[in-house]
Amino acid sequence: MEEKAPNLQLQEPASPESLLPAHDFTPLWIGLAVLALLIVIILIVKACRKPRVDPSVARRAAYLKARKAFESLTPSGVRETAVASSLIVRGFLAEAVADPSLFETHEEFLTRQDSLNRLTPPAREACSEYFSRIARLKYAPEVPADDPAAIITDSRALVEFLNVGFLP
């Protein structure tokens, strides 16, 4: 008996594409891209919308906060009282009219053209005079002989005046 010799010829390997499943994912990828784009657009629209805030609500809250701060303020030294009163008034302005005076020096406040432009001219003038007076008390070379209780009273009166001195 004669045995047949094995066939030693090289055969072409199978194509790798034939090993992949026959699913087409193109519609799935397009759908995911559209969904992601839709989510991004919704987030951008929500971020751009600003809630409408009634300015009178912010002003009222700032006024009540300033009144409460003045009630808890006890007169001590002239400079300490002037600093504390000035901080309360500047905080009121920062919250009520979104003025950056809380973060400015006295000179920056006076030189800024648009400072307190949401107040009536008499209220602006009273505020400017008040801050000039307080700056003299805070930065005087010697401690002034003013009454700390009068500083608190004047500051409280200014906040009362400013509270009704907003432009419509």
Side-chain angles (χ1 to χ4, degrees):
M1 266 192 109
E2 210 174 290
E3 287 186 35
K4 286 190 172 182
N7 187 2
L8 296 176
Q9 287 183 344
L10 293 175
Q11 294 182 357
E12 199 63 38
S15 168
E17 286 84 19
S18 65
L19 300 174
L20 292 176
H23 301 291
D24 186 18
F25 290 109
T26 305
L28 176 67
W29 287 114
I30 292 174
L32 287 175
V34 168
L35 181 65
L37 184 64
L38 189 63
I39 289 172
V40 167
I41 289 172
I42 290 172
L43 290 176
I44 290 173
V45 167
K46 282 189 175 187
C48 289
R49 280 191 196 163
K50 290 186 179 179
R52 299 200 182 242
V53 178
D54 187 12
S56 63
V57 173
R59 291 174 185 158
R60 179 78 179 151
Y63 171 70
L64 293 175
K65 185 177 176 181
R67 277 187 53 186
K68 188 175 182 180
F70 278 124
E71 289 171 5
S72 66
L73 183 63
T74 56
S76 55
V78 173
R79 285 192 178 148
E80 293 83 9
T81 304
V83 168
S85 297
S86 173
L87 187 62
I88 294 170
V89 173
R90 287 176 185 263
F92 167 73
L93 291 172
E95 291 180 27
V97 292
D99 190 75
S101 63
L102 183 61
F103 310 105
E104 294 177 329
T105 64
H106 178 67
E107 290 79 16
E108 290 172 334
F109 174 75
L110 291 178
T111 57
R112 188 166 39 94
Q113 296 295 320
D114 66 337
S115 63
L116 306 175
N117 59 355
R118 295 184 189 138
L119 293 174
T120 60
R124 252 180 289 179
E125 183 65 30
C127 198
S128 180
E129 289 173 7
Y130 168 80
F131 283 132
S132 295
R133 178 176 168 247
I134 289 293
R136 282 193 304 272
L137 294 174
K138 291 191 299 188
Y139 306 121
E142 302 208 7
V143 179
D146 289 31
D147 180 25
I151 296 170
I152 295 174
T153 304
D154 292 346
S155 300
R156 185 179 287 150
L158 177 69
V159 169
E160 295 288 337
F161 182 66
L162 292 177
N163 189 43
V164 295
F166 293 109
L167 290 173

